[in-house]
Amino acid sequence: MNARAVTLFLLLLAAALGFVYLQRHGNGTEAVVRALPPAVTSALGITTAPQVNTCPVCLQTLAFIPSGTPPRPLALCPYCGSLERHRLLYLYLRQKTNLFRDQLSVLHFSPERGLGGALASQRNLNYATSWYEPDRAADYHLDLTNLALADNSWDVLIAYHVLEHIPDDRKAMREMYRVLKPGGWAAVQVPIRNEPDTYEDASVDTDAERNEKFGQFDHLRFYGWQDFADRLTQAGFNVTIERFGHELSDSAIREFALDRNERIYLLRKPLK
């Protein structure tokens, strides 16, 4: 075997091993495939180019990559880090709310990098962030069950995939209601099971059990779609369960790689 043949063999072997690894671990397969020379992809039997998507959050056109356990294909924008739920929320906020038009004060709990960056750049917003962990860079470090904020002080709250981590989630909901201005609104979301009732069990108290029962090691419950709305209503909110994905075309769902069935919970504090 001459030197050229050896080099080609090693390239093919390295590419094959990398491709198999990424297929199993769900991290960047599309990006690797796009980078491979045509001769290599042909030798590996890869004939279909990966889907190219558009991220509405960062406006990049590129191949999304798998994310999650188990990996969801086309879930993550590798540029800004947005997931399906962030992209759907961004489109919803832009198309269905006054967030990008009016002068509003916005408090974003545990902000996602891509979505947080997009909102922080909006000149019409007095935008602030809060992390519970003191080592995270943020404008505030607040306990959502005991917010050190004045009553009726914010126009908009955003809390995405936060409440499932909080032991006393009902108290957190009441605190959100307290600090919202009358007529203000909040966008919230949590992992939702395909049942109306919430699955909650205090005896599930190890990381392994929580991962098995609630879907993640640090989740404390698995909300039911109706019970979650009921808890928010009991806190005082007028609750609308938005199925915005069903208003979008099939082409938009494909282009932005969205989960059409994702629920957005829009909460409004009644005017006094």
Side-chain angles (χ1 to χ4, degrees):
M1 184 179 293
N2 59 35
R4 184 177 179 181
V6 170
T7 300
L8 179 59
F9 173 79
L10 292 175
L11 283 172
L12 289 171
L13 179 61
L17 291 174
F19 182 74
V20 170
Y21 174 85
L22 291 170
Q23 284 278 25
R24 290 181 177 177
H25 293 271
N27 184 19
T29 304
E30 285 87 355
V32 170
V33 173
R34 288 173 64 83
L36 292 176
V40 174
T41 57
S42 177
L44 293 174
I46 304 168
T47 58
T48 302
Q51 178 174 329
V52 175
N53 301 98
T54 300
C55 178
V57 178
C58 64
L59 302 180
Q60 298 295 312
T61 298
L62 71 178
F64 290 173
I65 62 178
S67 182
T69 306
R72 304 183 308 279
L74 305 178
L76 178 71
C77 170
Y79 188 85
C80 74
S82 71
L83 296 169
E84 304 98 324
R85 63 179 180 269
H86 308 137
R87 297 189 291 272
L88 185 71
L89 175 63
Y90 182 85
L91 290 169
Y92 173 81
L93 294 174
R94 182 168 283 281
Q95 296 183 29
K96 307 288 281 190
T97 76
N98 62 341
L99 192 68
F100 292 85
R101 299 192 307 271
D102 298 344
Q103 295 292 323
L104 299 169
S105 57
V106 179
L107 182 56
H108 193 171
F109 295 96
S110 302
E112 307 79 11
R113 176 169 60 87
L115 183 60
L119 296 182
S121 68
Q122 295 301 309
R123 294 186 177 181
N124 64 304
L125 300 180
N126 176 17
Y127 176 81
T129 60
S130 175
W131 281 95
Y132 178 74
E133 298 85 356
D135 59 334
R136 302 293 294 266
D139 300 295
Y140 298 94
H141 294 93
L142 300 171
D143 177 353
L144 197 49
T145 64
N146 187 24
L147 293 172
L149 300 169
D151 295 355
N152 309 316
S153 53
W154 294 87
D155 294 305
V156 177
L157 303 177
I158 299 174
Y160 250 50
H161 283 228
V162 175
L163 290 167
E164 69 272 17
H165 299 272
I166 298 176
D168 194 347
D169 63 329
R170 288 180 172 86
K171 187 176 181 182
M173 294 172 186
R174 292 194 298 271
E175 279 290 274
M176 292 173 64
Y177 181 87
R178 179 182 66 80
V179 303
L180 262 183
K181 295 178 183 179
W185 56 271
V188 300
Q189 190 190 66
V190 293
I192 294 287
R193 65 199 295 247
N194 221 8
E195 299 288 343
D197 300 322
T198 294
Y199 175 46
E200 200 165 18
D201 185 349
S203 69
V204 178
D205 58 2
T206 69
D207 289 355
E209 288 176 317
R210 287 172 178 157
N211 189 66
E212 177 187 356
K213 302 292 186 181
F214 305 142
Q216 192 166 303
F217 75 94
D218 55 352
H219 289 184
L220 302 181
R221 62 191 65 85
F222 204 166
Y223 285 105
W225 62 267
Q226 183 61 60
D227 178 66
F228 184 57
D230 292 343
R231 295 186 189 204
L232 294 163
T233 300
Q234 290 161 14
F237 290 109
N238 294 332
V239 179
T240 303
I241 304 176
E242 297 281 9
R243 307 302 299 274
F244 179 61
H246 291 276
E247 300 180 28
L248 299 175
S249 66
D250 291 342
S251 61
I253 294 294
R254 286 193 301 271
E255 179 183 2
F256 303 130
L258 306 173
D259 180 353
R260 171 164 269 149
N261 295 314
E262 198 85 51
R263 293 177 174 88
I264 297 170
Y265 287 76
L266 185 69
L267 323 178
R268 292 197 178 275
K269 183 172 181 175
L271 290 166
K272 299 297 185 183

